[in-house]
Amino acid sequence: MTAAGLIFSNIHDQSIPQMTATRTMASLPFGGRYRLVDFALSNMVNSGITKVGIVTHNNYRSLMDHIGTGKDWDLARRGGGVILLPPFVTAYENPRAGNLYTTRLEALMGVMEFIKHCSEGAIVLSDCDAICNIDLSAVLEEHEEDGADLTIVTKEMHLSRSESGGGNAIVYADEDGNVTEVVEHTRLLRGEYDVSTNIMVFSKSFLMTLLLDALAHGYTAFYQQALSYAMGSARIRIFRHDGYYAKIDSLSHYFHANIALLRAQTRDALFNVKDRPIYTKVRNSPPTRYGDGAVVANALIADGCRIEGTVVNSILFRGVQVRRGTVVKNSVLLQDSGTGENVTLNCVIADKNVMIRDARTLSGHESLPFYIGKGKMV
């Protein structure tokens, strides 16, 4: 079955307002050299999907710069390739009045023309806040064999008071894998549940029917309204993903997802999967320089850094500078940020182009990391 892809770049920007004030969730830096959109794009490309639309909302300049022509994902093509889909606004609408979409369903309605003109029989939807390496060709194959209208990819997760209530949709299915109900998260839920990864495979005809019906009835909510009302007549199946999965729905979860890469098991599950590499924009940077007194332990350090101090259990992006006498522990320093001398950092997230002056001591906690905004000086 041939398929086209749709990636939502802004759906969950409100989850990390500190970091998405000037960028989309899709262009959020991750793991020393990647952006979150790299995982959704790579999953599709690795599964043979060569037409991908990226649904945007606002603040997508950095996303455009990162993706470019799509050549780093082999999507620089005459037919298909990667296509940025800005929000649909007519000449008679005032964007300042808040007419841009606010929900997943409204976003899909805004790109109906893209969906309509796709010649592929299936449409794969994916968010950008899901970090996983999944074989979408297996999902598409099962979707076709089952004759499904919709297949929802889920991950079995343990929900507690801290984990539930964070934008999760709970999927209930019978023993044969037929979805019986999809409900929004609630803090009353405890225990093991199949949680939607927001990766879905739609039959194109069913998706168009769903959107037209939602448009006719004035629906705005995807799960609670459009999908719930179609549940009785449509064949909706579940596909359980048994690999690594992390959802970025808070600053704390962003911090933990980065730090998790320091474990070899996590890196292998994401980046060392046979025939399923994670692609990103290639940049040519000089090697990292280590001073005579540099101490580095259990850290991921990108190219172009200069390390003269101590770095432990941390992620350093390109161009980061750690001066003499500085100790960086359990922290994430984004591109071109740096420290002065004799600085102490613990559980800190420093955004791009941050400068921390001499003799500063900054500390957060694993549950509440200390965040320094883009371009700030401390």
Side-chain angles (χ1 to χ4, degrees), residues 1-6 8 104-105 108 115 118 120-126 139-140 143-144 147-153 196 198-211 222-223 226-228 230 234-237:
M1 171 179 283
T2 59
L6 267 179
F8 298 95
R104 183 186 310 278
L105 187 59
L108 285 169
I115 298 171
C118 285
E120 293 78 5
I123 306 293
V124 179
L125 308 186
S126 179
V139 185
L140 285 163
H143 174 84
E144 185 175 20
D149 296 309
L150 165 63
T151 299
I152 302 175
V153 178
S196 173
N198 290 323
I199 298 174
M200 292 169 272
V201 177
F202 274 92
S203 296
K204 177 191 168 182
S205 57
F206 174 67
L207 179 57
M208 285 298 299
T209 300
L210 188 78
L211 294 179
F222 179 80
Y223 284 115
L227 200 57
S228 293
R235 182 168 175 77
I236 303 177
R237 301 280 294 173

Side-chain angles (χ1 to χ4, degrees), residues 13-65:
D13 281 4
Q14 71 279 5
S15 299
I16 316 181
Q18 307 97 318
M19 301 191 74
T20 57
T22 58
R23 59 166 72 94
T24 69
M25 178 70 79
S27 57
L28 202 63
F30 181 80
R33 59 174 300 198
Y34 299 92
R35 304 285 184 126
L36 292 188
V37 71
D38 294 337
F39 294 91
L41 268 177
S42 298
N43 286 334
M44 292 185 179
V45 170
N46 291 334
S47 302
I49 298 174
T50 57
K51 180 190 290 183
V52 181
I54 300 182
V55 186
T56 63
H57 187 284
N58 57 358
N59 289 339
Y60 51 88
R61 187 205 60 78
S62 62
L63 178 63
M64 294 173 62
D65 176 67

Side-chain angles (χ1 to χ4, degrees), residues 4 14 36 50 61 133 141 144 154 156 253 281 323 345 350-351 368:
Q14 71 279 5
L36 292 188
T50 57
R61 187 205 60 78
N133 189 328
E141 183 179 349
E144 185 175 20
T154 65
E156 186 176 351
H253 285 173
K281 182 178 181 179
R323 300 294 186 183
L345 302 180
D351 212 320
L368 188 63

